[in-house]
């Protein structure tokens, strides 16, 4: 790992710093960009210095206005690698001057990202050369010493190394070179270097080797070397020429870096990029790519087709400006432009924005004015300097238009057949397809054809109309007459085709198209004549309508002649067609109704699933909370989710059960200030007394089901708010209906839920809301019960603490009485009895003192208790002539009061005996020691009390002792159901093993 200094915090150098740290190097920083930076590098003692030289500092002037001496900078004892961003604009003359004075290891930054392999190679080369320079200064100057330096140095180089003579034959290779290439040393030394290169690299090296010799270095070339297994590797090659004392060529020193993987990766990336660009260009969807600043860098052909804008017109522009131009005029505003820009900036800077990774449907307007509907997906692409944004756009205009037409058709078809609004032919059929069928029918039969509405107005375009009918139809008066005539044929055409002659004497036939008994259209054919029809009838008709008779007769002769039988056959075909259309229309109606019902069922199912999901979530949440505040908040949020545009009020009964108060409200945020102004008080501070409320009001408010409030806000507030203020609030909130339901469980009221709907809103999810309120009632009862139990426990804890405190005080009173009694007694034996009794009382009092001071009233921490007890006894029984040292080895042991009191009395008796008898007056002034050990071993306790005194006489046994102390110890051990052992060796040791006593009920 190397210590490397970097002198910039710009984005370009941040990438460099990241790469250096990822290699394990330590990176240090400086803000200087001139000779002061080099001085800083020397002070820090770094291994090398990456000196970033921005374009604006290439002609940097010192304070004395002299140009920087780049030679001094780059030839300091710290290797300095200039980092120049060649993508910026700069003075090439200044750069040339820097390059002429810089070392061989120049790092150029041609793109934002650094080539990791080249970067590693550069660092290794610098460290190697620096190490070599150091060894040259501190080694034997003899040729033999120089050889040893090189051999030692390059055997330790972490790169493949070799040395060549002037003919290009190997003089030396290190073990890494051999491992990389797969050869043995004997297979390499003395062999020609070119034999290890592939043909192309061999020709290149052979041609340029003389130039390398003349230049004194081989710098930054790429070769392909052949390994022993005949595989080829790409290497990045660096070398230096060594000269002898006479300045003649001696040998080369070269290292290389295997960059095969990088080459393969680079090739794969290039191929991948080519495939990706091909995919982008061939994609039918529109694809747009933005750089880190929001400029458009890719705009494929698919997007050109969708938007009508060519790639050349938008490349380099800011995307949000182009997007704004594509926005339909009615939505264009400065506010929208800022909104689009802010979203884009957020996405580019953070990679997160509301529109990312989601499909959005919108419309756009092309430069030619055409509206297109599109679906668009935006996604972020992480780069070292931020994020790029990609867009995939799909044209859904045709689908949108079909959906709108289908929606319109479904709306029309879903109407009942017996309503007052008729279903039209156009609602049931695609007119383009019907027109095609009509034209084919005319082509096959030779007759004219048209479909009209029941009142005679055309639905389709006429097919093969003859010039005679065209002339008549173009006449306004005749046109109306024809409509009336065509509309009147429906009376006789429901069962068989009706054949008749028109005003001009031409045959025509009609077939009725109906659905469910409703007449929706007529299919007319005609404009044919028989050979028997005379010219005089058409001439008479022409005179009536004001046409020239001869022109009408001429047009009449152009009408096709069809035999009557043939015309009847054609009309039967027409009738079959019309019946088929009627049947198809009826099927469409039924199918549409089925689709409508299915969608309705699907919506109901989705609503049911959503309601169940919400109920399950609420039940889970309510189980996990304990406070009423959390419960009120959960219920309010849930109802607001079900009824997002409503106002939700959660009311609760105060702890004293005297008032109702608002606990939570939702939807009133922007109205709270106005409500407070109307009411003259914060709504959350209004108390509604329960005692003044009628039973009807309570039943209305605490209903077990959702119940509508009949008097609005006035009754909701139990008439405690004036009627005028209530009406003002209703106008402010546009209130329609109000519903109440109580939190009521097992005969207890806990408040209520109020749902306030706007005038255009209806109540939904009633059953779900009632179920949720019931679950909330249970949770509230559980919360209140827990609080009651908690309060009861707190009261009992206070009582128990007070009991222990009073017991301790009473025992201290007894101890004080015994102490006063001692003042009136002179006999030594009586004084000792009183003192011992006082100690026993004190040991029990201390137990109760520890209990009322402890947060746990059932168990006592024995370690602290023993320390205080023994200290008190030593103070009471002052042993003259020597000090008594106490040694306590008590781990964290806890026991209940039934076990603690006898255990404490045992310790009290044994320590008292030791203080009284174990250390008689002596001239030796030796220090006495009393040691107490207490350990817990699974379900047993082991108590050891020992001293280093004179020892307990052999004839004294606790079970038969006449002294009260040992008798008491024996009895207490039996009470603890334990065992007692005595070790009379060095002093006296009492070993007691016992178990914890279980609580026994007292009678």
């Amino acid at each position: 790992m190397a210590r490397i200094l970097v002198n910039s915090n710009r984005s370009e150098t941040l990438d460099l710093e990241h790469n250096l740290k990822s290699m394990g190097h330590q990176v240090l920083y400086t803000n200087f960009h001139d000779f002061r930076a080099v001085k800083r590098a020397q002070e820090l003692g770094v291994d090398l210095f990456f000196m970033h030289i921005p374009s604006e500092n290439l002609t940097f002037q010192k304070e004395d206005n002299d140009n920087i001496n780049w030679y001094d900078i780059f030839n300091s004892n710290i290797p300095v690698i200039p980092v120049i961003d060649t993508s910026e604009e700069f003075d090439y003359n200044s750069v040339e001057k820097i390059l002429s004075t810089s070392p061989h290891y120049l790092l150029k930054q041609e793109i934002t990202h650094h080539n990791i392999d080249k970067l590693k190679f550069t660092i290794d080369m610098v460290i190697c050369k620096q190490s070599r320079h150091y060894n040259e200064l501190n080694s034997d100057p003899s040729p033999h010493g120089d050889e040893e330096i090189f051999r030692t140095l390059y055997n330790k180089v972490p790169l493949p190394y070799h040395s060549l003579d002037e003919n290009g034959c190997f003089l030396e290779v290190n073990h890494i070179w051999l491992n990389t290439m797969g050869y043995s040393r004997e297979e390499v030394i003395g062999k020609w270097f070119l034999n290890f290169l592939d043909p192309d690299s061999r020709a290149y090296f052979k041609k340029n080797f003389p130039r390398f010799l003349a230049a004194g270095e081989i710098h930054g070339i790429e070769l392909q070397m052949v390994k022993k297994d005949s595989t080829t590797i790409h290497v990045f090659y660096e070398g230096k020429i060594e000269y002898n004392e006479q300045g003649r060529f001696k040998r080369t020193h070269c290292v290389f870096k295997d960059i095969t993987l990088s080459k393969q990766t680079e090739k794969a990336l290039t191929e991948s990029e080519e495939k990706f660009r091909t995919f982008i260009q061939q994609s039918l969807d529109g694809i747009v790519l933005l750089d880190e600043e929001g400029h458009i860098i890719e705009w494929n052909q698919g997007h050109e087709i969708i938007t009508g804008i060519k790639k050349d017109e938008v490349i380099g522009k800011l995307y949000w400006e182009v997007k704004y131009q594509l926005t339909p005029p009615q939505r264009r505003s400065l506010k929208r432009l800022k909104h689009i820009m802010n979203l884009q900036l957020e996405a580019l800077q953070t990679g997160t924005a509301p529109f990312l990774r989601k499909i959005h449907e919108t419309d756009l307007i092309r430069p030619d004015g055409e509206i297109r509907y599109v679906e668009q997906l935006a996604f972020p692409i992480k780069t070292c300097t931020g994020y790029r944004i990609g867009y995939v756009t799909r044209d859904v205009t045709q689908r949108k238009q079909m959906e709108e037409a289908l929606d319109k058709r479904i709306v029309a078809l879903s109407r009942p057949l017996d309503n007052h609004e008729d279903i039209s032919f156009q609602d049931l059929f695609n007119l383009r397809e019907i027109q095609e069928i009509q034209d084919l029918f005319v082509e096959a039969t030779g007759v004219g054809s048209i479909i009209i509405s029941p009142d005679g107005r055309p639905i389709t375009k006429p097919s093969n109309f003859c010039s005679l009918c065209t002339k008549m139809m173009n006449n306004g008066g005749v046109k109306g007459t024809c409509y009336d005539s065509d509309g009147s044929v429906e009376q006789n055409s429901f069962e068989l085709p009706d054949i008749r002659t028109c005003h001009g004497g031409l045959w025509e036939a009609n077939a009725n198209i109906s659905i469910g008994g409703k007449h929706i259209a007529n299919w007319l054919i005609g404009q044919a004549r028989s050979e028997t029809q005379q010219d005089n009838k058409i001439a008479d008709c022409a005179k009536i309508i004001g046409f020239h008779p001869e022109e009408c007769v001429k047009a009449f002769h152009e009408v096709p002649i069809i035999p009557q039988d043939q015309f009847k056959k054609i009309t039967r075909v027409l009738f079959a067609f019309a019946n088929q259309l009627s049947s198809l229309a009826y099927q469409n109606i039924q199918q549409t109704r089925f689709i409508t019902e299915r969608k309705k069922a699907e919506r109901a199912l989705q609503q049911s699933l959503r309601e169940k999901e919400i109920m399950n979530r609420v039940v889970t949440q309510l189980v996990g909370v304990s406070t009423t505040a959390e419960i009120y908040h959960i219920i309010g949020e849930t109802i607001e989710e079900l009824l997002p545009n409503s106002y939700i009020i959660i009311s609760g009964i105060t702890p004293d059960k005297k008032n109702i108060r608002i606990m939570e409200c939702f939807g009133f945020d922007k109205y709270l200030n106005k409500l407070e102004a109307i009411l003259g008080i914060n709504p959350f501070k209004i108390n509604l007394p329960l005692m003044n409320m009628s039973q009807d009001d309570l039943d209305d408010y605490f209903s077990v089901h959702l119940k509508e409030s009949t008097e609005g806000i006035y009754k909701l507030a139990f008439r405690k708010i004036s009627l005028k203020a209530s009406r003002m609030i209703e106008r402010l909130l546009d209130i329609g209906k109000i519903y109440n339901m109580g939190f009521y469980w097992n005969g207890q009221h806990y408040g209520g839920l109020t749902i306030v709907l706007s005038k255009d809103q209806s109540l939904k999810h009633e059953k779900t809301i009632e179920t949720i309120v019931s679950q909330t009632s249970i949770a509230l009862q559980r919360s209140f019960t827990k609080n009651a139990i908690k309060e009861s426990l707190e009261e009992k804890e206070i009582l128990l603490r007070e009991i222990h405190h009073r017991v301790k005080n009473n025992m201290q009173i007894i101890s004080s009485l015994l102490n006063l009694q001692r003042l009136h007694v002179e006999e030594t034996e009586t004084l000792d009895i009183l003192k011992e009794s006082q100690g026993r009382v004190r040991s029990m009092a201390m137990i109760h003192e520890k209990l009322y001071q402890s947060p746990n009233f059932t168990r006592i921490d024995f370690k602290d208790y023993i320390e205080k007890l023994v200290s008190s006894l030593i103070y009471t029984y002052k042993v003259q002539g020597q000090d008594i040292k106490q040694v306590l080895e008590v781990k964290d042991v806890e026991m209940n009061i039934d076990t603690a009191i006898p255990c404490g009395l045992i310790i009290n008796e044994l320590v008292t005996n030791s203080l009284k008898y174990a250390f008689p007056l002596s001239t030796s002034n030796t220090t006495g020691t009393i040691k107490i050990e207490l350990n817990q071993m699974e379900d047993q306790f082991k108590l050891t009390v020992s001293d280093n005194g004179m020892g307990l006489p052999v004839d004294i046994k606790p079970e038969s002792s006449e002294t009260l102390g040992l008798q008491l110890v024996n009895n207490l051990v039996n009470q603890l159901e334990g065992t007692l052992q005595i070790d009379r060796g060095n002093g006296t040791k009492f070993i007691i093993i016992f178990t914890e006593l279980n609580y026994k009920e007292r009678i």
Side-chain angles (χ1 to χ4, degrees), residues 963-976:
T963 62
L964 178 61
L966 289 179
Q967 289 179 6
L968 185 58
V969 169
N970 187 63
N971 292 336
L972 290 171
V973 171
N974 292 332
Q975 181 180 334
L976 291 172

Side-chain angles (χ1 to χ4, degrees), residues 885-889 911 914 929-933 944-948 988-990:
K885 179 181 178 183
Q886 58 179 347
V887 178
L888 303 178
E889 294 183 1
V911 173
S914 294
T929 301
I930 297 177
K931 184 177 182 180
I932 300 176
E933 300 175 77
T944 303
V945 181
S946 61
D947 62 58
N948 61 349
T988 304
K989 179 185 293 186
F990 291 88

Side-chain angles (χ1 to χ4, degrees), residues 455-474:
D455 60 4
R457 288 179 292 107
I459 295 177
T460 61
K461 297 178 182 179
S463 302
N464 196 32
F465 267 30
C466 65
S467 59
L468 177 62
C469 287
T470 302
K471 289 178 181 293
M472 293 185 176
M473 293 293 292
N474 289 336

Side-chain angles (χ1 to χ4, degrees), residues 368-606:
D368 58 9
E370 182 182 351
I371 297 293
R372 290 287 182 95
Y373 296 93
V374 297
E375 286 181 346
Q376 193 169 67
L377 172 67
F379 53 91
I381 304 171
K382 182 72 171 71
T383 68
C384 64
T385 57
Y387 290 87
R388 293 182 176 184
I389 304 297
Y391 288 88
V392 177
T393 305
R394 176 164 295 178
D395 190 343
V396 294
T397 304
Q398 186 176 6
R399 189 193 75 191
K400 187 74 173 178
Q401 292 172 346
M402 291 177 62
E403 288 176 353
E404 290 178 350
L406 180 60
D407 289 342
K408 180 181 177 182
R409 185 176 175 186
I410 289 176
V411 169
L413 296 179
S414 60
R415 299 171 186 157
L417 294 179
D418 55 352
N419 66 359
H420 299 292
E421 295 181 1
D422 293 333
I423 297 176
S424 68
F425 183 89
Q426 294 90 323
D427 294 330
L428 297 172
F429 297 102
N430 185 318
L431 292 185
R432 182 179 60 81
E433 295 175 354
I434 294 297
Q435 184 73 52
E436 185 177 355
I437 293 173
Q438 176 185 296
D439 293 341
L440 290 173
F441 179 83
V442 171
E443 183 179 349
T445 61
V447 299
S449 180
I450 190 172
I451 297 176
I452 62 172
S453 63
D455 60 4
R457 288 179 292 107
I459 295 177
T460 61
K461 297 178 182 179
S463 302
N464 196 32
F465 267 30
C466 65
S467 59
L468 177 62
C469 287
T470 302
K471 289 178 181 293
M472 293 185 176
M473 293 293 292
N474 289 336
N475 181 282
V478 176
K479 184 175 183 179
T481 304
C482 289
Y483 282 165
D484 294 339
S485 174
D486 293 340
S488 65
V489 298
E490 65 171 303
Q491 301 299 327
N492 302 309
S493 59
F494 279 96
E495 297 183 4
L496 292 174
D498 177 41
I499 302 175
R500 59 195 298 178
T501 58
C502 66
H503 298 291
L506 302 182
W507 285 345
E508 62 181 12
N510 168 71
N512 179 272
I513 300 173
S514 61
I515 175 172
K518 282 186 173 292
H519 180 212
I520 61 172
N522 291 321
W523 192 340
L524 303 179
I525 62 171
Q527 301 182 30
R529 66 186 178 91
S530 68
E531 295 179 349
T532 61
Q533 289 173 321
Q534 302 298 319
D535 295 349
N536 58 351
K537 189 174 182 179
I538 193 67
D540 293 339
C541 181
K543 294 176 182 178
I544 294 172
I545 61 178
F547 279 3
H548 197 283
E550 293 182 1
E551 292 181 1
C552 287
V553 170
K554 184 178 179 181
F556 180 72
H557 289 167
E558 296 174 1
V559 175
I561 299 174
I562 298 178
Q564 188 173 2
D565 291 343
Q566 181 67 25
F567 190 74
K568 288 182 178 179
K569 292 178 180 180
I570 294 173
T571 59
R572 285 197 292 270
V573 173
L574 171 67
F575 189 71
F577 269 139
N579 286 340
Q580 186 62 34
L581 287 178
S582 296
S583 176
L584 182 60
Y586 184 76
Q587 291 176 13
N588 286 347
I589 286 285
Q590 297 303 321
Q591 184 178 14
T592 302
R593 284 179 171 173
F594 170 76
I595 293 173
T596 303
E597 292 299 323
R598 188 181 66 182
K599 286 186 175 181
K600 183 179 179 181
E602 288 176 351
R603 286 194 296 269
L605 177 61
Q606 291 175 354

Side-chain angles (χ1 to χ4, degrees), residues 78-277:
I78 301 295
V80 178
I81 301 179
V83 183
I84 302 173
D85 186 357
T86 58
S87 64
E88 298 179 350
E89 296 182 0
F90 56 84
D91 182 1
Y92 282 91
N93 294 329
S94 300
V95 175
E96 185 178 2
K97 181 177 180 181
I98 294 175
L99 301 187
S100 65
T101 56
S102 66
H104 302 302
Y105 34 84
L106 172 69
L107 177 68
K108 292 183 180 180
Q109 183 181 343
E110 298 178 352
I111 56 175
T112 302
H113 300 286
H114 294 271
N115 186 307
I116 301 296
D117 289 321
K118 291 185 179 180
L119 183 61
K120 289 181 178 178
F121 188 78
T122 300
I123 295 171
D124 290 339
M125 283 297 301
V126 171
I127 295 175
C128 288
K129 292 180 180 181
Q130 187 71 0
S131 301
R132 174 186 170 190
H133 177 69
Y134 176 81
N135 288 328
E136 286 177 347
L137 296 175
N138 296 276
S139 61
D140 184 2
S142 66
H144 178 72
D146 191 52
E147 293 293 337
E148 289 300 324
I149 290 171
F150 280 121
R151 182 173 287 106
T152 300
L153 172 64
Y154 286 110
N155 277 330
K156 294 182 179 180
V157 169
L159 293 170
Y161 158 78
H162 66 244
S163 176
L164 306 177
D165 62 17
E166 60 182 339
N167 296 318
C169 296
F170 285 100
L171 295 174
E172 187 63 65
V173 292
N174 67 354
H175 68 283
I176 298 180
W177 194 101
L178 296 173
N179 292 339
T180 302
M181 299 298 295
Y183 295 98
S184 65
R185 185 178 179 82
E186 292 73 19
E187 293 174 315
V188 177
I189 300 300
K191 300 299 190 295
W192 195 29
F193 174 64
L194 270 65
N195 290 338
F196 297 83
L197 299 179
D198 80 329
D200 292 338
S201 297
R202 189 182 305 164
Y204 173 82
F205 193 84
K206 185 176 182 180
K207 178 180 178 181
N208 290 279
F209 189 63
R211 181 171 63 83
F212 298 151
L213 294 177
E217 65 176 359
I218 304 171
H219 181 62
I221 65 171
E222 292 185 9
L223 301 173
Q224 287 183 268
M225 300 185 69
V226 181
K227 299 172 64 174
K228 186 176 180 178
D229 59 6
S230 300
T231 59
T232 301
I233 62 173
H234 291 265
V235 301
F236 187 75
Y237 201 77
E238 288 271 352
K240 185 79 174 178
I241 309 299
E242 180 187 353
Y243 300 96
N244 59 21
E245 295 178 355
Q246 292 76 32
R248 297 178 180 176
F249 175 89
K250 182 176 181 181
R251 63 195 301 173
T252 67
H253 298 283
C254 303
V255 294
F256 67 81
K257 172 73 175 179
D258 186 351
I259 59 171
T260 305
L261 181 59
S262 297
K263 279 288 185 181
Q264 293 172 348
T265 303
E266 182 180 345
K267 181 180 178 181
L269 287 174
T270 302
E271 293 176 353
S272 176
E273 184 176 356
E274 290 176 356
K275 292 178 181 178
F276 179 67
R277 290 193 175 277

Side-chain angles (χ1 to χ4, degrees), residues 923-974:
T923 56
S924 61
N925 292 327
T926 57
T927 301
T929 301
I930 297 177
K931 184 177 182 180
I932 300 176
E933 300 175 77
L934 179 60
N935 298 305
Q936 186 171 1
M937 305 173 295
E938 295 182 356
D939 59 343
Q940 290 187 324
F941 295 96
K942 182 180 180 181
L943 172 65
T944 303
V945 181
S946 61
D947 62 58
N948 61 349
M950 60 180 296
L952 186 70
V954 179
D955 60 333
I956 297 179
K957 297 181 180 179
E959 62 273 13
S960 60
S961 173
E962 295 181 359
T963 62
L964 178 61
L966 289 179
Q967 289 179 6
L968 185 58
V969 169
N970 187 63
N971 292 336
L972 290 171
V973 171
N974 292 332

